[in-house]
């Protein structure tokens, strides 16, 4: 396969990219974006008109794509403005911001360098347009990969109406020192462009307390466990009962830390995804419909977990989960569970058993709460 990477400008090629998006995002992943054209099987939206579309082609057929939208095309009334909290970056003009989105690669090319090459093209195109801060969001299980690329968390996760709970992240495009420290693939590319150290200094001054690394992969499991075991919350998790230090390290290899504000809807019934959440601090309600008297919500807290059904292979989330107060939790991705099954089947079985017991405990809580009502 001789792939060619280039900017997409011709109408015919843009249509082919739209069909590729539909094939992956809708047909394969089961997403239901409002802008999808189910008749022509194409996925386009308003941002395409003002964005740079990049794609990898095998002959005339696109096999991967990514989109770069300049900040000058994102208005204060847009969902992106609110989702990425652009008001926090008001010290910089619109031209200093850009958003990377719609990164998709055919299944047979995942795990290759196609996605990385597309992102490298987007990085270079962004620098040519004057980008200082490039934004994108990802599922919890992909946070570590984005951290290694040089993206940083600067705020709590948020709900994207199209795909559910996601983590907003930002790349300070000219922070050469940080990119080098993370061994980012952008580090070498950054040398081709000018760098203003005041941008990195501004970012750290404004977000320094919020942008620490938050994954076991990037911090190292031992340090991650140390930082997130305050109060013994993590060690009390029923999902991790009976695991020794080595087994804990294996299970938490791709763990991600999360903070949820009061009343934040972490999961919505029907969400597609597969993350298991272990509560360290705070409480959440879990129920098919928190307002239903026939299906009351359980209130669970430190040591409990939620998201088991999707994590263990369910297609969608089976319950609504909402933070009652401020909640600290860690998540494990469905992909990491698949890896655990392949490499450590006995450990995976013990984890499944623990999760079954945890679900039974939550059912007992619901029953007792219903009796007390």
């Amino acid at each position: 396969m001789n792939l060619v990477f280039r900017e997409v400008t011709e109408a015919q090629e843009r249509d082919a990219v739209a069909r590729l998006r539909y094939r992956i995002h809708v047909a394969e992943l089961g997403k239901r974006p409002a802008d999808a054209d189910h008749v022509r099987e194409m996925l386009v939206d308003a941002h395409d008109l003002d964005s740079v579309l990049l794609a990898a082609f095998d002959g005339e057929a696109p096999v991967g794509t990514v989109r770069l939208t300049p900040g000058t095309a994102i208005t204060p009334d847009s969902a992106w403005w609110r989702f990425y909290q652009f008001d926090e970056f008001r010290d910089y003009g619109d031209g200093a911001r850009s958003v990377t989105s719609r990164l998709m690669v055919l299944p047979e090319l995942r795990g290759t360098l196609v996605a990385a090459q597309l992102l490298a093209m987007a990085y270079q195109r962004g620098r040519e347009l004057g980008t200082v801060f490039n934004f994108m969001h990802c599922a919890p299980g992909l946070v570590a990969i984005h951290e290694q690329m040089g993206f940083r968390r600067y705020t709590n996760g948020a709900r994207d109406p199209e795909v559910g709970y996601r983590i907003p992240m930002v790349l300070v495009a000219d922070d050469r020192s940080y990119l080098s420290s993370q061994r980012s693939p952008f580090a070498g590319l950054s040398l081709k462009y000018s760098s203003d150290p005041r941008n990195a200094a501004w970012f750290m001054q404004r977000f320094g307390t919020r942008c620490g690394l938050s994954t076991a992969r990037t911090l190292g499991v031992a340090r991650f466990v140390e930082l997130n075991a305050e109060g013994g919350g993590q060690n009390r998790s029923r999902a991790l009962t009976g695991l020794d230090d080595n087994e804990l390290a294996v299970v938490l290899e791709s763990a991600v830390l999360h903070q949820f504000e009061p009343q934040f809807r972490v999961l919505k019934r029907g969400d597609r995804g597969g993350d298991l959440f272990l509560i360290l601090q705070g409480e959440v309600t879990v129920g098919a419909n928190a307002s239903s008297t026939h299906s009351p919500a359980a209130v669970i807290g430190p040591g409990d977990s939620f998201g088991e059904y999707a994590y263990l292979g369910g297609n969608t989330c089976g319950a609504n989960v909402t933070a009652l107060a401020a909640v600290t939790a860690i998540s494990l991705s469905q992909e990491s569970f698949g890896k655990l099954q392949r490499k450590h089947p006995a450990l995976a079985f013990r984890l499944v058993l623990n999760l079954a017991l945890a679900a039974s405990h939550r059912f007992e809580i619901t029953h007792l709460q219903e009796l007390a009502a």
Side-chain angles (χ1 to χ4, degrees):
M1 184 178 291
N2 185 23
L3 300 183
V4 176
F5 294 78
R6 64 174 181 268
E7 185 172 337
V8 180
T9 56
E10 300 297 328
Q12 185 176 357
E13 289 186 342
R14 294 175 77 91
D15 287 348
V17 167
R19 286 190 290 270
L20 173 69
R21 289 176 177 173
Y22 188 96
R23 174 180 172 183
I24 296 173
H25 199 63
V26 180
E28 178 192 348
L29 301 179
K31 308 298 184 183
R32 289 294 179 266
D35 299 302
D37 184 337
H38 300 294
V39 176
R40 295 189 298 166
E41 297 189 341
M42 298 171 67
L43 178 55
V44 297
D45 62 53
H47 288 299
D48 286 329
L49 296 174
D50 302 303
S51 299
V52 177
L53 299 185
L54 304 169
F57 287 87
D58 180 18
E60 297 183 356
V63 296
T65 183
V66 71
R67 176 175 69 183
L68 181 75
T69 306
T72 51
I74 303 171
T75 58
D77 61 346
S78 73
W80 275 354
W81 191 286
R82 297 185 297 274
F83 184 87
Y84 289 114
Q85 300 182 14
F86 279 177
D87 281 338
E88 293 255 30
F89 294 81
R90 57 186 175 273
D91 291 351
Y92 286 79
D94 294 344
R97 299 187 294 267
S98 63
V99 173
T100 298
S101 61
R102 299 295 192 202
L103 174 63
M104 302 182 198
V105 177
L106 286 178
E108 58 268 29
L109 292 174
R110 292 169 198 164
T112 70
L113 294 176
V114 173
Q117 287 177 271
L118 287 168
L119 288 173
M121 287 180 64
Y123 173 84
Q124 294 179 87
R125 194 71 179 89
R127 293 304 303 272
E128 292 166 3
L129 293 173
T131 291
V132 177
F133 303 105
N134 178 245
F135 299 82
M136 70 185 308
H137 68 61
C138 65
L142 297 177
V143 169
I145 293 174
H146 286 78
E147 285 184 341
Q148 290 177 323
M149 292 171 58
F151 285 86
R152 284 179 267 193
R153 295 174 67 173
Y154 61 98
T155 186
N156 292 337
R159 285 195 65 82
D160 180 290
E162 186 175 307
V163 293
Y165 176 63
R166 288 295 183 267
I167 310 295
M169 303 187 76
V170 64
L171 177 81
V172 184
D174 67 346
D175 190 352
R176 293 174 180 170
S177 176
Y178 186 78
L179 294 176
S180 296
S181 72
Q182 299 306 306
R183 298 182 179 179
S184 166
F186 303 142
L189 296 174
S190 70
L191 299 177
K192 297 167 54 178
Y193 307 94
S194 62
S195 175
D196 186 342
R198 291 175 296 181
N199 297 328
W202 177 90
F203 179 79
M204 288 306 299
Q205 181 179 12
R206 191 169 189 87
F207 300 102
T209 59
R210 293 184 259 170
C211 63
L213 297 176
S214 58
T215 63
R217 181 179 295 171
T218 47
L219 278 176
V221 173
R223 182 60 175 157
F224 181 85
V225 171
E226 177 185 344
L227 289 175
N228 300 314
E230 294 179 4
Q234 183 167 288
N235 294 326
R236 293 199 306 270
S237 175
R238 293 176 179 83
L240 306 178
T241 298
L243 274 60
D244 62 29
D245 289 345
N246 291 331
E247 292 169 330
L248 186 65
V250 170
V251 172
L252 296 181
E253 183 180 12
S254 298
V256 181
L257 179 67
H258 305 271
Q259 303 285 345
F260 302 119
E261 297 295 328
Q263 304 308 310
F264 179 74
R265 176 64 58 84
V266 183
L267 297 177
K268 182 179 179 181
R269 190 179 187 188
D271 277 354
R272 289 184 174 269
D275 294 297
L276 172 69
F277 292 86
L278 311 178
I279 303 173
L280 304 183
Q281 298 176 4
E283 293 180 327
V284 302
T285 61
V286 182
N289 186 342
S291 63
S292 172
T293 57
H294 300 289
S295 180
V299 177
I300 60 175
D304 292 312
S305 58
F306 58 88
E308 298 93 343
Y309 177 74
Y311 178 70
L312 296 177
N315 291 325
T316 59
C317 178
N320 296 319
V321 180
T322 304
L324 277 178
V327 172
T328 302
I330 60 174
S331 69
L332 306 174
S333 70
Q334 193 175 62
E335 291 76 12
S336 69
F337 179 67
K339 180 179 177 181
L340 190 67
Q341 284 181 302
R342 294 189 298 272
K343 294 190 173 183
H344 307 277
L347 180 55
F349 176 78
R350 290 171 60 194
L351 182 60
V352 170
L353 180 60
N354 284 347
L355 291 174
L357 292 173
S360 175
H361 172 76
R362 186 166 67 240
F363 176 81
E364 181 180 357
I365 290 176
T366 305
H367 180 63
L368 291 175
Q369 290 173 350
E370 185 176 2
L371 290 176

